[in-house]
Amino acid sequence: GIPDIMGYLSLCDLSVPPHVAAAAKAARYNRRVFLAPFWDEIFTQDSERKQTRAEAEATCAVMRETYIALGYQITELPRTDIATRADFVCKQLAN
């Protein structure tokens, strides 16, 4: 999403172009967003995920900061199995 682009630009020490910042303000998501936190126990590198541990941790931190700066409420997903996380999301959405 657009906030993610802003986060990745920040992570790479690049400035956010004005049109991207404007798009993030104009095309808002639901106020509450779910964040999958960095979870060392399940972290792995493969052909799709090339980030190092440090990069993955920094990515999580910058995404949290970016979404909060844009006025979103972060709901962190629990570090548990997929079914429990899915149940958590469903319960959160029912509130």
Side-chain angles (χ1 to χ4, degrees), residues 22-40:
K25 291 180 182 177
R28 305 279 303 164
Y29 303 140
N30 188 291
R31 185 172 187 281
R32 180 175 49 176
V33 295
F34 293 96
L35 176 72
F38 175 78
W39 187 2
D40 192 57

Side-chain angles (χ1 to χ4, degrees), residues 3-8 11 35 58-68 74:
D4 296 64
I5 293 168
M6 294 175 67
Y8 282 114
L11 185 67
L35 176 72
T59 298
C60 181
V62 78
M63 292 305 167
R64 179 185 307 279
E65 293 167 9
T66 300
Y67 276 91
I68 289 171
I74 303 293

Side-chain angles (χ1 to χ4, degrees), residues 7-88:
Y8 282 114
L9 288 168
S10 176
L11 185 67
C12 295
D13 292 322
L14 298 170
S15 60
V16 176
H19 71 278
V20 173
K25 291 180 182 177
R28 305 279 303 164
Y29 303 140
N30 188 291
R31 185 172 187 281
R32 180 175 49 176
V33 295
F34 293 96
L35 176 72
F38 175 78
W39 187 2
D40 192 57
E41 289 78 15
I42 66 169
F43 175 81
T44 187
Q45 286 180 297
D46 57 26
S47 62
E48 299 301 318
R49 183 174 296 271
K50 299 178 189 303
Q51 288 185 319
T52 65
R53 266 188 174 76
E55 289 168 334
E57 285 182 286
T59 298
C60 181
V62 78
M63 292 305 167
R64 179 185 307 279
E65 293 167 9
T66 300
Y67 276 91
I68 289 171
L70 290 169
Y72 290 98
Q73 173 191 340
I74 303 293
T75 300
E76 188 171 295
L77 297 176
R79 292 174 175 96
T80 187
D81 62 273
I82 294 170
T84 304
R85 281 185 280 164
D87 288 342
F88 173 82

